[in-house]
Amino acid sequence: MTAFKFRKKDWLHFTPAIAIIIYRLVIYVYDSSLSGFNDTQNGYLKINLDELYVQSIYGIFSYFQNLLYLAFTFQLFYIYRKKIKEFFSNTYKLELNWILSFLILYAILFLYDFIQTIINEYIVELSYLQQWWMNFYMALIIIYVGVKGFFTDTTKLQKLNFSFAPNRVSIPEISDKEKPFSKEAITDLHTLMIDQKPYLNPDLNLADLAKQTNMTRAQLSETINSGFGINFNDFINKYRVDEFKQLLKEDKHQKLSLLGLAFECGFNSKATFNRVFKKITDFSPTDYLKSKNVV
């Protein structure tokens, strides 16, 4: 995964925060310069400008800003989910479901805060204790994200040089010096999959298979996407499902459980195996076993 580099235009995201800091400093400096400031809790601009106009406007702006960033984050997450299928054969441990859980919880918290603010401003004034629950829920979510993030293994993602940003290409384009995919490349790739069975490796990724085929990642990806009409993840898992079916025909399920056979075929989680098998065959593994009378 490409390392994040802070760019000059990234400072634009901090513009509202910097503007608020400068604005607060101006108010404080001006109010503190007026006589009698030490005897009052708030100064002239704080009462007649900030509390009267600016706070309401800033509150509305903050909600729209949070909603916008939340939408972009959901977009980026689903783009990530889609792109890892172009690089990894098993994505279960890379799907980062805890991030999706956090985004959903944050969205609920955002809605909770919005409703609470509307009630407090326009219906009935809420007490500190009633509003305190917002802070409590927020603290729980922060702890959850921190713990899950700390124990998440991202080493596999760091091995490949690609970006999940929505405005960048996930797979390098084929250069003029590289040959595009051909019928021979499709045949050779299929032969390699049948003879050497690289799909049995649960950690197989695009870079590993590219080395075995003597192709670049771009060439291999193009061969799979255009030649077979599917992404890398579906391509590998199709061979795994075929291998699983073959093991059933050989009565291997008499010695191993279905999950055990799935692991023998290169899957690394029950959830992924069931999902992939259902997608390819329209049957669950158990129903497929019954329908084919493989008992």
Side-chain angles (χ1 to χ4, degrees):
M1 188 189 301
T2 53
F4 174 77
K5 294 182 179 179
F6 200 85
R7 300 160 297 178
K8 290 183 179 180
K9 64 180 182 179
D10 291 328
W11 281 105
L12 293 174
H13 295 281
F14 296 91
T15 301
I18 295 173
I20 285 296
I21 292 173
I22 295 175
Y23 161 74
R24 298 289 187 191
L25 286 174
V26 169
I27 284 184
Y28 175 76
V29 171
Y30 178 82
D31 284 353
S32 62
S33 66
L34 299 178
S35 60
F37 177 75
N38 293 334
D39 300 326
T40 61
Q41 182 176 358
N42 296 310
Y44 178 81
L45 288 183
K46 174 63 178 173
I47 296 175
N48 295 283
L49 175 65
D50 187 56
E51 294 186 358
L52 194 59
Y53 301 108
V54 177
Q55 284 191 18
S56 297
I57 297 174
Y58 177 70
I60 296 173
F61 172 80
S62 296
Y63 279 115
F64 278 108
Q65 184 186 43
N66 274 279
L67 187 61
L68 183 64
Y69 276 101
L70 183 62
F72 282 146
T73 306
F74 268 109
Q75 179 195 39
L76 187 61
F77 178 78
Y78 282 110
I79 287 174
Y80 162 81
R81 280 281 193 88
K82 182 178 179 180
K83 287 185 177 181
I84 58 175
K85 292 182 178 180
E86 297 287 352
F87 293 91
F88 300 101
S89 61
N90 275 312
T91 61
Y92 180 73
K93 295 181 180 180
L94 303 172
E95 290 176 354
L96 304 182
N97 291 311
W98 65 275
I99 290 184
L100 179 60
S101 299
F102 162 70
L103 290 176
I104 294 174
L105 289 172
Y106 184 87
I108 294 174
L109 199 65
F110 175 82
L111 182 61
Y112 178 91
D113 181 54
F114 178 76
I115 294 174
Q116 177 178 270
T117 301
I118 294 297
I119 293 174
N120 185 62
E121 293 292 333
Y122 302 103
I123 300 178
V124 59
E125 184 175 353
L126 300 176
S127 66
Y128 171 79
L129 183 60
Q130 290 172 318
Q131 297 185 57
W132 172 85
W133 288 102
M134 174 68 184
N135 298 323
F136 176 71
Y137 295 141
M138 186 181 298
L140 290 180
I141 292 176
I142 291 174
I143 293 173
Y144 168 75
V145 173
V147 172
K148 292 294 292 185
F150 180 80
F151 288 104
T152 297
D153 182 12
T154 60
T155 53
K156 290 184 179 180
L157 294 178
Q158 295 170 356
K159 292 180 181 179
L160 294 179
N161 184 25
F162 57 85
S163 170
F164 295 122
N167 60 340
R168 298 179 187 176
V169 180
S170 60
I171 302 174
E173 296 181 354
I174 295 179
S175 66
D176 295 335
K177 296 180 181 180
E178 296 175 328
K179 295 181 179 180
F181 83 98
S182 61
K183 292 183 179 179
E184 290 77 12
I186 296 174
T187 302
D188 291 344
L189 178 57
H190 177 67
T191 301
L192 181 141
M193 297 299 292
I194 296 298
D195 294 343
Q196 299 186 26
K197 298 185 178 183
Y199 53 84
L200 297 181
N201 174 14
D203 295 322
L204 182 68
N205 58 49
L206 186 71
D208 293 336
L209 188 59
K211 291 179 181 179
Q212 296 183 48
T213 58
N214 293 319
M215 297 184 191
T216 64
R217 286 192 299 131
Q219 288 174 322
L220 177 58
S221 181
E222 179 67 17
T223 300
I224 294 174
N225 295 160
S226 300
F228 292 88
I230 52 181
N231 60 43
F232 174 76
N233 183 266
D234 289 340
F235 174 74
I236 299 300
N237 285 329
K238 183 179 182 301
Y239 283 97
R240 287 172 175 163
V241 169
D242 289 340
E243 181 73 13
F244 179 83
K245 292 178 180 178
Q246 182 59 38
L247 293 181
L248 291 182
K249 291 180 181 179
E250 296 173 2
D251 292 332
K252 298 292 186 180
H253 60 289
Q254 303 292 351
K255 299 180 180 179
L256 279 176
S257 66
L258 295 183
L259 183 59
L261 292 180
F263 288 164
E264 289 288 317
C265 296
F267 291 101
N268 67 354
S269 76
K270 181 179 180 180
T272 298
F273 169 60
N274 289 333
R275 183 178 63 200
V276 169
F277 196 89
K278 178 76 173 180
K279 177 181 179 181
I280 294 177
T281 67
D282 291 328
F283 289 95
S284 69
T286 303
D287 290 340
Y288 178 84
L289 187 63
K290 295 177 181 179
S291 70
K292 299 302 179 180
N293 294 318
V294 187
V295 293

